[in-house]
Amino acid sequence: MNASGLASMPLSDRTVDHTTAPLVEAIDLVKSFPVRRGIFGQKRFRLFAVDRVSLSIRSGETLGLVGESGCGKSTLGLTLMLLYQPTSGKVLFEGRNLDMQQPEALSKIRREMQMIFQDPFASLDPRLTVEQIIQEPLDIHRIGSPMDRAREVRRLLNIVGLSDDAAQRFPAEFSGGQQQRIGIARALALRPKLLICDEPVSSLDVSVQAQILNLLRDLQKEFGLTYIFISHNIAVTGFMSRRIGVMYLGRLMEIGPSKTIVNQPRHPYTQALLSAVPEPDPAARERKGMLKGDVPSPIDRPSGCPFHTRCPWVKPRCSVEEPQLRELSPDHYAACHYA
Amino acid sequence: MRNITSTGKPTGKPTGKPLLEVNNLKTEFILRQGIVHAVNDVSFTVGPGEVLGIVGESGCGKSVTALSIMRLLEGTTGRIVGGQILFNDDGKVRDLVSLSREEMEHVRGYKMSMIFQDPMTSLNPVLSVGYQIKEPLKVHSHMSEKDATEEAVKLLDRVGIPEPRLRLNDFPHRFSGGMRQRAMVAMAAACRPKLLIADEPTTALDVTIQAQILDLIRELREDIGTAVIIITHDLGVVAEMADKVAVMYAGYIVEQGTVHEIFNAPQHPYTRALMSSIPRLRDWPDRLTTIEGAPPSLLGVSHGCPFEPRCRYRQPICAEEHPGLLDVAPNHPCACWVAQEGGIS
Amino acid sequence: MLRYITLRLAGLIGVLLAVSALTFFLMHAIPGGPFDAQALAQNKVLPTEVITQLNIKYGLDKPLVEQYLTFMLNAVRLDFGYSFTSQTRTVTQIIADQWPYSIQLGLLTLVFSMIIGLGLGLGAAIKQGTWLDYLGTTVSIFCMVMPGFVFAILLQFVFAVRLHWLPTGGWDKPATWVLPVLANSLAPILTLQRFTKSSMVDAMRANYVRTARAKGLSEQRVMLIHVLKNALSPVITVGGPMAASLVIGSFFIEKIFQIPGIGFYWVNAIQTRDYPMIMASTLIWTALITITYLLTDLAYALIDPRVAFVKES
């Protein structure tokens, strides 16, 4: 693995807008997991789920992360919240270094970052009432008097479009869309600045998905929230995000304004991903399978550019030298030698 | 102009006899809480080599429709309680509902076959992939072990699995999700069926693998001229694959037409709302159109249009009487009082 | 594969050492010695000098660690010494003489309960809600509520004492086998019936069974090839240890039917503090169980290709 040329560059030259200070920054973030194979686990590997990712998210914006399963987008989300200890690299929140060694400071900052998940039902304790679920973070951080907390729960329920009487019911009594609303209300209880949305609509029906997406956008406008929106669905991510980052085998392959990414993608992987999306327009019908084969295993990653084994435009250099993110146009970066 | 058909089914395609004609299919599930009316009065036709897309949200009855056609509900709490499933086997038309179990076994996997949503669990983990592909060849086409092996090699090669002769002896856990779905396609295509039912064949797959599988199904249709029913919640997949589309909601077909009619001139308020509620790949509105509420429960009997509580255009009659499927344009039936009365602008 | 088996057998030696040491020292930690117990049984008190003499004769006067090492060194050659309760036979001889009866009883029981238990389980799963299912349930409830020794005595009373159809005891001709095997099968049948049924029902709900049906396979083929092979793994898991516990012998059954098996000696050894016998039984038990687990795992690998003992390439 060659040292990232990016790390030595001042951060401001990379993906940072000079006008707004970044809310969250990741600097050369790596998260790897030990993997054991063999009967006695004697064979050890490292799985690089997130590999040298640097990015920054400006206050009030939405950064979308897309990629196929195993690309590391969810792990990146969890590592940014320091729910996973980074293997190396740093996460800065409002310029402060997040450090597992300082649990108290970390706990304070964590209040500012909350998460919503793909499977709303699995992420809600079925034995607690909705009120208990939403109130829990307030109880833990001892915010307000019990009266205040009860009032706050009602306010949060109304914000996410549920009525007061939802408070005394149990999660199982709600539909998938309503459960996701409860999950959002719980995430908002501590009035966070950053919300990490990990596939928040993937398990919902199309007709319900739109309600949740609109709600998230409304909440962002109303409370000035910053989102990291993780999804395998590029259309949904594009609708939600100002910028999109495309990940493949733990690496950030391309990042830029959403419109640029979908209309003028420069990385061959992004191009392939976009061309594979079936569009709801029978006139746009065409052969979609531009990429052959499967994504390689993350414990046995290709040398050089991780995408070179499937890239339609692969050149000899690609298997030897790993391309780094280059700025191609303002705010638009791609990690391809030939982009 | 109302072109009323007595059965509520669309007037058949003018060209030739249909391969499959489903008339007023009704399927129920008997649960402790009551009867679930999963499929109600569903009628459609599929011509030879034609691709029908059935689209709808979870619980709309699209998968149950497929399982009913394959008669795969036996042994579950579900049963077909009415209607016909006429299958045209080289001029000999048979009603699949009335076939005995043994007779049906000679249709399944031979004349029509099916692939399922989850490739990870749809193959038997303790039998080799080759064994599973050879099975229908031996059972239906009465091939010898040797011939079946040669044919299985060809099939695996055809669905794009490298080194097919070697991979034949592999067990499913050595295959990736995409490869397993390819193996499922090979298995389904083994006896060159006249009809292939694909139930959410790509939902569990990544988008680049989904594209490969959709291409494969398309090629297969061109190669062996099989008709396809593709069942999906993904409007993109339907637009990509289907010649005709049936939109289902709460166990009913609410609208049917050619893929161009459904996508360019949808008539039913549900179809229209569905179309505008999905974010497009390159064109993003400020807000998405939403359908408020959630689909109704299918328990018990309902009067009226099942979409009425969520419909923007609802009229008093909608809550009282179910609108039948009536043509609102030639060969474009739609189950909506408002659309039938001159439409929604 | 070979490497795996070697490693597992090496593990067996470790387990045997650990179990033997634990048993040895625990056994000696219990107050009272073998000769007190014998004396008590005969309602007399042995003079101290006699006990000392006996202790010296059997080497019980030496330090424990030395006794243990001596025992283990001999045990490697399958020499467990003389049984304290028998002046004429060594432990090895007793085992060689009596164990075959228990093994025969155990194996017959295993075969019988496999046939009945698997049969009832399969029938109940395939024909859910029919008489076969209810028969299975009835039999398994009966096996559950009926204590084994009561059932044994009941069988003996009805078929031997009252009806004179079968002999009351002994092990000399096939007719004598029937009642003990029947009585001994109670628990195994229950376990096998329930495991077979539930693993069959699980396998029948699997998606690949729907795929098999969608291929137009006949119901027999679906059941025999697609369901059964998957359903067998859990059955093997319980079957292995069950086989081990059956061949080790049964105190009650052997006692009730006067079978000269080894079960009686195992139990008696503990009461009489027959140290060599206790040690021998423990070691044989441990080895048996460990080896059956190994065989079970190997059988797993034969049935289920996902179980890999060697690292996949």
Side-chain angles (χ1 to χ4, degrees), chain C residues 87-135:
Chain C
Q87 269 68 39
T88 53
R89 287 194 297 172
T90 62
V91 170
T92 313
Q93 271 169 343
I94 295 177
I95 291 172
D97 291 345
Q98 320 301 149
W99 199 15
Y101 294 104
S102 298
I103 292 178
Q104 272 185 43
L105 171 63
L107 289 181
L108 284 171
T109 307
L110 187 67
V111 171
F112 179 71
S113 47
M114 279 277 184
I115 293 169
I116 302 295
L118 283 177
L120 284 176
L122 288 179
I126 295 172
K127 305 271 179 200
Q128 278 180 67
T130 66
W131 65 271
L132 209 54
D133 190 3
Y134 297 126
L135 177 69

Side-chain angles (χ1 to χ4, degrees), chain A residues 67-70 175 181 205-211 213-215 217-218 221 232-239 241 244 258-259 262-263 269 272-295 310, chain B residues 56-59 176-179 182 205-212 214-215 218-219 221 233-243 259-260 263-264 270 274-275 277-282 284-295 310:
Chain A
E68 298 177 274
S69 50
S175 67
R181 288 173 193 268
D205 271 324
V206 186
S207 75
V208 180
Q209 167 179 309
Q211 299 170 9
L213 293 177
N214 279 344
L215 173 67
R217 286 192 49 149
D218 293 346
K221 257 183 230 154
H232 69 282
N233 185 329
I234 306 173
V236 166
T237 312
F239 167 72
S241 315
I244 296 180
S258 302
K259 287 225 161 60
V262 298
N263 293 314
Y269 177 62
L273 204 58
L274 283 162
S275 80
V277 176
E279 281 191 77
D281 177 6
R285 201 177 269 198
E286 57 181 2
R287 249 192 91 90
K288 296 286 185 184
M290 164 176 168
L291 285 188
K292 299 278 169 267
D294 289 315
V295 182
R310 299 173 83 200
Chain B
E57 299 175 271
S58 55
S176 68
M179 281 165 71
R182 287 168 187 274
L205 303 173
D206 273 321
V207 60
T208 60
I209 309 298
Q210 159 170 292
Q212 295 169 0
L214 293 182
D215 280 345
R218 229 186 323 236
E219 286 162 20
R221 174 201 176 195
H233 71 284
D234 187 333
L235 289 170
V237 170
V238 184
E240 197 63 46
M241 302 290 292
D243 302 324
V259 69
H260 295 283
F263 279 86
N264 301 329
Y270 174 65
L274 209 55
M275 295 285 173
S277 69
I278 48 166
R280 306 283 158 145
L281 186 56
R282 294 189 172 83
W284 306 306
D286 226 25
R287 288 178 68 80
L288 296 168
T289 313
T290 61
I291 311 175
E292 291 312 320
R310 303 175 79 186

Side-chain angles (χ1 to χ4, degrees), chain A residues 69-82:
Chain A
S69 50
C71 73
K73 55 191 192 298
S74 289
T75 312
L76 177 58
L78 292 166
T79 314
L80 283 173
M81 282 193 73
L82 249 71

Side-chain angles (χ1 to χ4, degrees), chain A residues 66-104:
Chain A
V66 297
E68 298 177 274
S69 50
C71 73
K73 55 191 192 298
S74 289
T75 312
L76 177 58
L78 292 166
T79 314
L80 283 173
M81 282 193 73
L82 249 71
L83 291 173
Y84 281 147
Q85 163 120 45
T87 309
S88 66
K90 277 196 280 194
V91 180
L92 303 179
F93 189 83
E94 294 181 320
R96 288 167 294 173
N97 194 357
L98 293 192
D99 190 352
M100 283 235 175
Q101 308 308 318
Q102 297 165 320
E104 272 171 38

Side-chain angles (χ1 to χ4, degrees), chain C residues 142-159:
Chain C
F142 176 78
C143 295
M144 206 175 340
V145 297
M146 175 65 86
F149 65 93
V150 175
F151 185 53
I153 294 169
L154 202 72
L155 284 175
Q156 197 177 38
F157 179 74
V158 174
F159 294 100

Side-chain angles (χ1 to χ4, degrees), chain C residues 264-277:
Chain C
F264 165 77
Y265 291 85
W266 297 148
V267 178
N268 196 43
I270 295 167
Q271 277 173 349
T272 58
R273 303 288 156 74
D274 190 348
Y275 293 155
M277 200 67 180

